[in-house]
Amino acid sequence: MAHAAPTSRGMRAARRRAMARQVRPVRTPDVFDERVHRIARLAIPVVLGLVYGYWAAANRRGGGPLTGWNVLFGCVTAIAFIVLCIAVATFAPLLQRELHSAVKSAFAGAAVGFLYSQTGESVLRSTALGLAVAVAVFGVFFYRYYTREDAEGNRIR
């Protein structure tokens, strides 16, 4: 017995019905458990802060000898960065997407501007570089949050 070959319109309808039956996950599955995420929430800012403190101290030293004041400056800078990074990571997601983007971009711009100021450049050049970085980071974060939230601020993905 011969059957008629399905038309392209019939194939599309069959594909739509098959896709409607499939249940798609809303999020990708987490590879790590909650404990790893909890540890990483603190470990990442600490590691970034240590690198940032070392970098700031190295910029300030300028290739000269390592002194106790230089080590103290690096430690204080690292602690300040860690505290601010944890504060931004904790409180920024509670804000609207525009303010969320602005807080994170201000932190990034200030961090880069401060590092650049330790090289001996003028305050105006450091400020200009910090503002340029803040504007670029704001654009990236705003686009990211704008495309992943609905009008009320609920995350889609």
Side-chain angles (χ1 to χ4, degrees), residues 12 49 63 75 96 98 103 109 111 114 126 128 132 135 140 143 152:
R12 282 190 296 237
C75 291
Q96 295 174 339
E98 294 87 3
V103 167
F114 178 74
S126 301
V135 167
V140 169
Y143 176 77
E152 288 83 33

Side-chain angles (χ1 to χ4, degrees), residues 4-134:
T7 62
S8 63
R9 190 166 97 191
M11 292 292 282
R12 282 190 296 237
R15 190 177 303 129
R16 274 196 307 268
R17 283 191 303 271
M19 294 297 282
R21 286 186 293 233
Q22 294 177 353
V23 177
R24 294 183 185 155
V26 177
R27 290 184 55 186
T28 57
D30 284 334
V31 177
F32 302 111
D33 62 349
E34 185 60 33
R35 189 184 69 121
V36 174
H37 286 283
R38 208 172 35 250
I39 292 170
R41 202 168 289 130
L42 290 176
I44 290 173
V46 168
V47 169
L48 288 175
L50 292 174
V51 169
Y52 187 83
Y54 174 75
W55 195 348
N59 281 352
R60 188 168 198 160
R61 186 167 47 100
L66 186 64
T67 63
W69 291 112
N70 190 256
V71 172
L72 179 66
F73 176 77
C75 291
V76 170
T77 304
I79 291 170
F81 184 89
I82 292 167
V83 168
L84 289 173
C85 188
I86 290 173
V88 167
T90 302
F91 296 116
L94 303 176
L95 302 172
Q96 295 174 339
R97 62 178 163 233
E98 294 87 3
L99 293 174
H100 187 179
S101 303
V103 167
K104 285 190 174 183
S105 62
F107 177 68
V112 169
F114 178 74
L115 275 181
Y116 191 63
S117 73
Q118 297 306 308
T119 62
E121 289 294 329
S122 71
V123 174
L124 293 177
R125 288 188 82 173
S126 301
T127 304
L129 180 65
L131 283 174
V133 168

